[in-house]
Amino acid sequence: MEKLLLFVEIQQLKKQGFKVAAIAKKLEISRNTVYKYLDMSLEEASEWITSLGSRRKKLDPYHNQILSWLKEHPDLSSAQVEDWLKERFPTLDVGGSTVRSYVSEMRDIYHIPKVIRVRTHEAVEELPMGQQVQVDWGEITIKNSENKDVKLYFITFVLSHSRYKYVEWLDRPFTTRDTIRCHEKAFQFFGGIPEEIVYDQDHLITVSENAGDIILTSEFQAYKQERGFRIYLCRKADPQSKGKVENVVKFVKKNFAKNRVYANLEAWNEKCLAWLERTGNFNVHHTTKKRPVEVHALEKQHLKPVSSLLSFENTLVTRITRTVHKDNVIKYKSNRYSLPLGTYRPRGDNTVYVETQEEELIIRREPHGEVLARHPLCHGKGELIKNRQHTRDRSKGIHAYKETVIRQFKDQEKAEQFIHEVGIRYPRYIRDQLQVIQCAITQYRQDIDEALAVCIKDQLWSANDLRDIAQHFTRLKETKTSKPNSIQEPKNINPAIKATAATREMDDYIKILGGASS
């Protein structure tokens, strides 16, 4: 009866001069439905509606269940309905097109419209088997059994050739250690390690931009060297570089997690693995037109084997760590201790290592690395212990800041040339670069001019290089002082370049000395 009333209403609106799009919008139905009813006569519509009443469809036994899902979650996709049916009724054998048409008809009958979102895709060439895995993180807020919001975080891996996927969830943000552990589980799940892994410039992988010189976190650098895969870091705001895993993140959110009720993390991860087996890796991929699980059976033969134990896992020692806050301080025993400006890295790894020696607090970036700051230990509470050298340069503007730095070098002409070249290469990070130079001048004042000469000679236009070379010269002098009888190191050698001395034939030496070869 409802379909017959709908038929009459459509015919009346058409006679009143409404266009098909207007009728569809007014009645909240699809334009295809409007066309279908307009092409029928009253007798044909009556016969068709009567035949529907006597014809039984494959999904009719699940009609009430599907209807309750659609009413509770109007944005539910037919693909998600299909997955939920297979999850609750494992023996059900139904195709995706059957579910789509059934859900579409139910939406028309019960006037449950679905919001259509347009997605943009870009065609790219397929990569060889075993070459690449793409990795990304996601988060979603869902309801638990008490109807309270729960925020969950997940990491996704996808083999670029077969589209074979792995997903793991946490109820808290991921750390670098979590990320490494999930990599190991993904490699076990895939049956091997690819040649290359694609990431965002994520703070779990990279240590921010380091004034323009991007570097990896210490833990992940050790892990990468141990496992021997290449890393490709996408540029920021460039999702096309890892479009496959971007689509997987959306797929996990919309097909698995959306509208699902959360009980606990263990059960949630178990359900996700079952979803991967049932849907995520089993359904035919729209682009490849193949099942990922079938292609993966071939691709895993091209992956590098996974060893059972990581050697670096046994060498990592637990230490006292603190997080650097955006105002470049750490909190230790109810007090705040300052760090040099620029220590805090937006979206970077802001973990530092803290140790106490007698009445002194020592802060390092790495467990045995360079000292970032030393402070007298404060036994009060709520105090700010600040080193004056950690304050911002108060000169007005970048130009004045440059002049302030240049005046501290003996050869100001060379200093001006160096800072000019740095500004060309790091225009967005010039203040950060100047801060690094100022810090290097303060810490290695006796060797900073010699380091500047090496940088200009070898065209090393980075504040980080200047600092590292000055630090190298300082350590060389400390070594010579402690070991006076040791062989002297040659001066003016760039420590960033490892060179091997060329050897000559004996005839060459004879010619140089003015003799003749026999």
Side-chain angles (χ1 to χ4, degrees):
M1 181 60 69
E2 289 183 3
K3 285 186 176 291
L4 189 58
L5 292 174
L6 183 62
F7 170 82
V8 173
E9 193 170 2
I10 290 172
Q11 296 291 342
Q12 289 177 346
L13 290 173
K14 183 64 176 177
K15 289 180 181 179
Q16 293 173 14
F18 283 87
K19 294 184 179 180
V20 171
I23 296 173
K25 185 175 181 180
K26 184 175 181 65
L27 299 180
E28 295 183 340
I29 58 177
S30 68
R31 284 181 289 180
N32 289 337
T33 303
V34 177
Y35 282 121
K36 179 173 67 176
Y37 280 101
L38 289 176
D39 289 339
M40 294 181 184
S41 63
L42 180 60
E43 293 76 12
E44 290 172 339
S46 300
E47 291 177 4
W48 175 65
I49 292 169
T50 303
S51 67
L52 290 178
S54 59
R55 186 176 66 182
R56 185 174 177 81
K57 296 184 177 180
K58 192 170 186 177
L59 291 177
D60 280 347
Y62 314 98
H63 177 277
N64 292 336
Q65 179 69 79
I66 297 173
L67 181 60
S68 65
W69 289 341
L70 292 176
K71 285 184 176 179
E72 184 177 0
H73 311 292
D75 56 348
L76 202 64
S77 67
S78 60
Q80 202 170 7
V81 170
E82 179 186 354
D83 180 66
W84 284 15
L85 286 171
K86 290 179 179 178
E87 180 181 20
R88 288 161 176 77
F89 310 101
T91 58
L92 176 62
D93 184 16
V94 64
S97 59
T98 302
V99 179
R100 281 195 299 274
S101 51
Y102 194 83
V103 170
S104 178
E105 186 176 330
M106 289 187 68
R107 288 188 181 279
D108 289 341
I109 294 173
Y110 295 100
H111 307 297
I112 307 175
K114 184 176 185 298
V115 178
I116 300 175
R117 294 181 175 87
V118 179
R119 302 194 328 181
T120 303
H121 299 275
E122 180 181 358
V124 294
E125 294 182 3
E126 294 298 325
L127 294 173
M129 290 187 178
Q131 177 171 324
Q132 186 187 89
V133 162
Q134 296 187 4
V135 181
D136 203 1
W137 290 260
E139 57 186 62
I140 190 171
T141 301
I142 56 172
K143 299 288 186 181
N144 62 12
S145 55
E146 299 176 355
N147 202 34
K148 294 182 179 179
D149 287 342
V150 178
K151 193 168 187 178
L152 295 179
Y153 305 82
F154 63 96
I155 184 172
T156 61
F157 301 76
V158 59
L159 283 164
S160 294
H161 181 85
S162 63
R163 307 315 202 266
Y164 198 68
K165 311 164 193 67
Y166 176 73
V167 184
E168 186 161 339
W169 295 79
L170 286 180
D171 53 5
R172 55 174 174 76
F174 278 78
T175 65
T176 303
R177 301 295 291 173
D178 295 326
T179 300
I180 293 174
R181 178 182 55 80
C182 290
H183 274 67
E184 288 300 295
K185 296 185 72 173
F187 294 154
Q188 294 292 340
F189 188 81
F190 290 149
I193 303 175
E195 295 179 10
E196 177 185 69
I197 303 184
V198 178
Y199 303 94
D200 269 332
Q201 291 186 25
D202 191 273
H203 69 283
L204 302 174
I205 304 298
T206 57
V207 185
S208 186
E209 292 158 313
N210 190 34
D213 297 325
I214 297 174
I215 58 175
L216 297 175
T217 63
S218 57
E219 282 185 296
F220 202 81
Q221 177 66 28
Y223 177 66
K224 168 185 171 295
Q225 292 176 349
E226 182 77 13
R227 282 309 191 200
F229 52 79
R230 296 195 311 271
I231 284 181
Y232 177 84
L233 289 178
C234 300
R235 293 183 301 173
K236 291 185 177 179
D238 183 23
Q240 289 80 10
S241 300
K242 54 181 182 60
K244 297 179 181 68
V245 76
E246 291 279 354
N247 289 334
V248 173
V249 170
K250 296 175 186 176
F251 189 35
V252 171
K253 287 182 177 181
K254 295 182 179 180
N255 193 283
F256 170 72
K258 190 176 181 180
N259 300 319
R260 191 180 288 268
V261 178
Y262 175 78
N264 58 68
L265 186 63
E266 183 178 358
W268 186 266
N269 272 308
E270 288 179 359
K271 288 183 178 180
C272 189
L273 287 174
W275 171 82
L276 284 172
E277 182 179 359
R278 178 182 64 249
T279 300
N281 289 326
F282 184 79
N283 283 2
V284 175
H285 194 274
H286 292 299
T287 301
T288 64
K289 305 302 180 186
K290 299 174 183 177
R291 299 185 191 276
V293 65
E294 295 174 354
V295 184
H296 172 254
L298 300 174
E299 185 174 17
K300 67 180 179 181
Q301 301 174 22
H302 297 265
L303 299 171
K304 294 184 293 185
V306 185
S307 59
S308 58
L309 180 65
L310 292 176
S311 62
F312 85 93
E313 285 281 353
N314 300 325
T315 62
L316 291 176
V317 181
T318 302
R319 296 179 178 273
I320 299 175
T321 60
R322 289 294 185 269
T323 300
V324 181
H325 296 266
K326 63 182 180 181
D327 53 353
N328 292 287
V329 300
I330 64 162
K331 294 180 180 179
Y332 181 77
K333 291 188 176 181
S334 302
N335 292 306
R336 294 177 296 151
Y337 293 85
S338 69
L339 287 163
L341 291 177
T343 303
Y344 173 78
R345 296 161 172 171
R347 296 186 58 81
D349 183 8
N350 287 296
T351 302
V352 293
Y353 295 83
V354 177
E355 61 179 289
T356 56
Q357 293 182 3
E358 297 180 352
E359 289 297 308
E360 188 177 44
L361 183 75
I362 302 173
I363 308 169
R364 305 175 189 267
R365 175 67 72 181
E366 304 295 339
H368 301 288
E370 178 186 348
V371 175
L372 292 176
R374 294 176 181 268
H375 291 284
L377 201 58
C378 179
H379 298 286
K381 289 187 177 181
E383 299 291 333
L384 171 62
I385 298 87
K386 191 170 185 178
N387 188 324
R388 290 185 179 181
Q389 295 182 353
H390 297 167
T391 58
R392 182 181 298 276
D393 187 282
R394 301 300 177 183
S395 301
K396 296 181 180 180
I398 294 296
H399 181 71
Y401 196 176
K402 288 180 180 179
E403 291 182 350
T404 302
V405 173
I406 290 171
R407 283 197 299 269
Q408 299 177 64
F409 287 90
K410 293 179 181 178
D411 192 334
Q412 296 185 11
E413 185 177 345
K414 286 185 177 180
E416 186 176 359
Q417 178 191 355
F418 178 77
I419 290 176
H420 174 72
E421 295 291 343
V422 168
I424 293 175
R425 286 159 179 78
Y426 302 98
R428 291 176 53 200
Y429 302 95
I430 184 59
R431 183 175 292 276
D432 298 314
Q433 290 277 321
L434 290 172
Q435 288 175 351
V436 173
I437 295 172
Q438 180 61 62
C439 183
I441 293 172
T442 303
Q443 293 182 4
Y444 314 110
R445 187 173 296 277
Q446 293 182 352
D447 302 296
I448 196 67
D449 292 287
E450 189 176 359
L452 176 66
V454 172
C455 284
I456 292 178
K457 177 178 175 293
D458 295 326
Q459 297 185 0
L460 301 174
W461 310 116
S462 170
N464 294 311
D465 291 331
L466 177 69
R467 178 198 59 201
D468 293 343
I469 294 171
Q471 182 187 51
H472 173 74
F473 285 139
T474 300
R475 288 177 177 174
L476 278 180
K477 290 180 179 179
E478 291 173 353
T479 303
K480 292 173 184 177
T481 303
S482 59
K483 298 180 180 180
N485 297 325
S486 62
I487 298 175
Q488 297 297 313
E489 295 282 348
K491 294 184 178 181
N492 297 329
I493 295 179
N494 177 11
I497 300 176
K498 294 183 178 180
T500 303
T503 59
R504 298 176 182 266
E505 297 294 335
M506 182 60 68
D507 291 346
D508 295 334
Y509 287 107
I510 294 174
K511 290 178 181 179
I512 293 172
L513 295 173
S517 60
S518 58

